[in-house]
Amino acid sequence: MKRLVFTKNRLIGFCICVLIPMAAMALGILFLVKDVVLNVGVSVVYFLIPSLVAGLLAWCVFSNSKTWKKYVLSGIILVLFLITFFFSSISVGLKQLKRYEGNEAVQQYYSSVSERELMPDLSELGNPAKIEYYNLFSSFLIFSCETDGLICNYNQEDYILQKARLDTAYKFQTEKTEDGFVPMVEIDGYQFQMLSIDEYNLYYPMEVVLIGYSDDTNEIVYLRFFDIDLDYITSLYDFITEECGWKYIR
């Protein structure tokens, strides 16, 4: 194994070479600041691969190999990294999750959701002790989808009243969907049910509206999902957890 030697010139050369993978990591950090979810794809593309490339460059630059070999090998490493980063960055799915609570949630909810059908007006929701609003925007290549989530937490008495109100205020899907699954599911103590596709003229499966509740937390959840490119849903559990981003919300 060749001994690594650190000199001023080699340090300068390494700092120059490592600018490219560091720029990729800086872009990843910027995404996180902009509320992009840190999932496996983002971790690998924007942090793991650039870190490995920086390590390879350090091994190359600080080794005792001939200078011309270092130039060639460093160039090959950077070209391969740029090609890999380009294709992986455009293919990795990005999920931008914005969270709001209290008065900010109310303001953002009205400004973002007021024009969208089937999400409730806050005046209909009684007196929640806490309100949370989530917006999840997912993109993959040229495809995108969006989920709005409203979570209202109540004291015990108000929760019972609001939960009872759901059966009179909404029509739920009672028959299996065209994809063949029962439109209700339990996820971590939350019972979710889909609104009637025919009653509300939903563009299923591109448009789905769900209402859920939890007797453990006294919460009622409203979710609206829209994806113009979605062709089918095979599992309501996976759909709520993954596409609607419930695993990032709760």
Side-chain angles (χ1 to χ4, degrees), residues 173 175-184 194 197 204-205 232-236:
Q173 183 77 14
E175 300 178 351
K176 288 185 177 181
T177 66
E178 60 189 50
D179 296 317
F181 61 82
V182 178
M184 59 180 64
M194 185 187 301
I197 297 171
Y204 179 87
Y232 57 88
I233 298 173
T234 57
S235 165
L236 188 59

Side-chain angles (χ1 to χ4, degrees), residues 130-160:
K130 182 180 178 181
I131 292 179
E132 301 173 55
Y133 166 60
Y134 298 85
N135 177 266
L136 178 67
F137 183 82
S138 304
S139 61
F140 176 75
L141 295 176
I142 62 173
F143 308 105
S144 64
C145 62
E146 188 169 15
T147 300
D148 291 301
L150 181 69
I151 302 178
C152 298
N153 177 268
Y154 298 90
N155 61 39
Q156 183 66 29
E157 183 179 350
D158 288 336
Y159 171 73
I160 293 174

Side-chain angles (χ1 to χ4, degrees), residues 37-235:
V37 175
L38 183 63
N39 55 22
V40 174
V42 172
S43 299
V44 170
V45 173
Y46 294 97
F47 297 103
L48 179 58
I49 293 178
S51 297
L52 292 175
V53 169
L56 287 174
L57 289 172
W59 172 82
C60 176
V61 171
F62 295 118
S63 71
N64 278 328
S65 300
K66 294 182 181 296
T67 302
W68 70 269
K69 290 184 178 180
K70 294 181 182 180
Y71 281 126
V72 172
L73 186 55
S74 297
I76 292 174
I77 291 172
L78 289 174
V79 169
L80 290 176
F81 168 69
L82 287 173
I83 294 173
T84 301
F85 180 76
F86 173 76
F87 286 104
S88 59
S89 63
I90 62 175
S91 61
V92 69
L94 296 179
K95 295 181 179 292
Q96 185 180 37
L97 177 63
K98 294 187 178 295
R99 308 167 179 262
Y100 306 97
E101 295 183 5
N103 292 332
E104 187 178 15
V106 173
Q107 295 172 2
Q108 292 293 332
Y109 181 77
Y110 273 127
S111 63
S112 302
V113 187
S114 60
E115 299 299 324
R116 300 178 188 175
E117 296 181 359
L118 302 182
M119 289 296 282
D121 190 285
L122 295 181
S123 62
E124 304 170 356
L125 303 180
N127 298 303
K130 182 180 178 181
I131 292 179
E132 301 173 55
Y133 166 60
Y134 298 85
N135 177 266
L136 178 67
F137 183 82
S138 304
S139 61
F140 176 75
L141 295 176
I142 62 173
F143 308 105
S144 64
C145 62
E146 188 169 15
T147 300
D148 291 301
L150 181 69
I151 302 178
C152 298
N153 177 268
Y154 298 90
N155 61 39
Q156 183 66 29
E157 183 179 350
D158 288 336
Y159 171 73
I160 293 174
L161 292 174
Q162 288 299 316
K163 179 181 173 182
R165 168 187 168 275
L166 298 178
D167 289 331
T168 57
Y170 296 96
K171 297 292 185 181
F172 292 98
Q173 183 77 14
T174 56
E175 300 178 351
K176 288 185 177 181
T177 66
E178 60 189 50
D179 296 317
F181 61 82
V182 178
M184 59 180 64
V185 67
E186 187 271 332
I187 304 177
D188 298 329
Y190 289 82
Q191 303 289 333
F192 286 95
Q193 191 167 358
M194 185 187 301
L195 290 195
S196 171
I197 297 171
D198 295 331
E199 182 73 23
Y200 297 104
N201 295 316
L202 295 174
Y203 296 102
Y204 179 87
M206 295 178 288
E207 182 183 28
V208 177
V209 180
L210 299 128
I211 296 179
Y213 60 85
S214 170
D215 293 341
D216 296 329
T217 63
N218 291 348
E219 290 179 331
I220 296 179
V221 182
Y222 303 84
L223 295 176
R224 179 187 182 273
F225 171 89
F226 185 79
D227 181 355
I228 195 172
D229 299 298
L230 187 64
D231 296 321
Y232 57 88
I233 298 173
T234 57
S235 165

